[in-house]
């Protein structure tokens, strides 16, 4: 599995991640139960997303690279954020405010995920900070995989384009 940093919070423990699944109803319920509040630490989401795409522990539902290759599949990760990194690691917690450190971790993780053969899409919603916008654009596998949405209609259009892109990749293999 992909090594990841521990993340502790003295305030709360969020709901557990949902493993990869084709159970659309459960997935939609999980998404509907999500809410945004407070601060942002993008590296944690990237690390867990990368782990979900790896068939080794702690989640084992992902297909192997060999299976994906033999079956014409593509591993893809979509990073979506509605904000800039506002927190950074100050072990064992993540209440530091070194934004440059958090951004550098995003860049390093994106590079490693792409080097692992995973296609990376990024979607920002109402992110206005130029540094964050550039970081997210650079994180994507290429310029056509970076989306900056300003409202729900643009957000829906971005995810429609991502879906069509992934379908086109599959059909072309």
């Amino acid at each position: 599995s992909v090594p990841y940093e521990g993340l502790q919070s003295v305030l709360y423990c969020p709901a557990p991640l949902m493993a990869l699944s084709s159970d659309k109803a459960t997935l939609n319920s999980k998404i509907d139960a999500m809410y945004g509040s407070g601060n942002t630490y993008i590296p944690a989401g990237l690390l867990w997303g990368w782990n979900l795409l790896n068939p080794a522990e702690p989640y084992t539902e992902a297909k192997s690279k060999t299976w994906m290759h033999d079956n014409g599949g593509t591993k893809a990760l979509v990073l979506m954020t509605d904000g800039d990194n506002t927190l950074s690691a100050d072990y064992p917690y993540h209440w530091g405010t070194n934004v440059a450190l958090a951004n550098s971790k995003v860049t390093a993780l994106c590079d490693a995920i792409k080097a692992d053969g995973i296609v990376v899409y990024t979607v920002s919603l109402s992110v206005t900070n130029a540094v964050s916008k550039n970081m997210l654009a650079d994180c994507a596998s290429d310029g056509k995989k970076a989306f900056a949405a300003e409202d729900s209609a643009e957000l829906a259009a971005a995810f429609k384009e991502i879906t069509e892109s992934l379908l086109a990749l599959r059909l072309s293999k």
Side-chain angles (χ1 to χ4, degrees):
S1 69
V2 179
Y4 53 92
E5 304 166 348
L7 177 62
Q8 290 185 329
S9 170
V10 294
L11 299 178
Y12 66 93
C13 183
L17 291 174
M18 179 178 167
L20 295 178
S21 170
S22 59
D23 184 341
K24 188 174 178 180
T26 301
L27 178 61
N28 282 334
S29 293
K30 188 79 167 173
I31 291 170
D32 290 344
M34 294 175 77
Y35 64 92
S37 68
N39 294 296
T40 300
Y41 184 66
I42 296 169
L46 277 170
L47 285 165
W48 279 110
W50 192 10
N51 269 287
L52 285 170
L53 294 173
N54 187 316
E57 294 288 339
Y59 291 93
T60 59
E61 292 78 11
K63 300 294 185 190
S64 69
K65 288 180 188 179
T66 302
W67 188 96
M68 294 297 285
H69 178 268
D70 292 350
N71 290 278
T74 301
K75 286 192 181 223
L77 183 146
V78 179
L79 166 62
M80 182 186 149
T81 185
D82 66 349
D84 310 313
N85 277 312
T86 56
L87 297 177
S88 64
D90 60 348
Y91 302 105
Y93 304 104
H94 285 72
W95 296 114
T97 56
N98 186 339
V99 172
L101 175 62
N103 287 349
S104 71
K105 286 186 178 286
V106 169
T107 299
L109 283 166
C110 290
D111 291 346
I113 292 166
K114 291 183 284 190
D116 193 27
I118 297 170
V119 176
V120 177
Y121 294 84
T122 60
V123 180
S124 63
L125 176 61
S126 302
V127 173
T128 58
N129 179 304
V131 171
S132 295
K133 286 177 124 177
N134 289 335
M135 174 188 68
L136 293 168
D138 291 343
C139 178
S141 291
D142 63 53
K144 291 183 177 183
K145 293 176 179 63
F147 300 87
E150 297 304 321
D151 57 34
S152 60
E154 289 180 6
L155 185 64
F159 277 97
K160 183 176 189 285
E161 194 168 329
I162 291 168
T163 301
E164 290 170 356
S165 171
L166 287 169
L167 287 173
L169 275 173
R170 181 160 177 81
L171 292 175
S172 70
K173 290 187 174 182

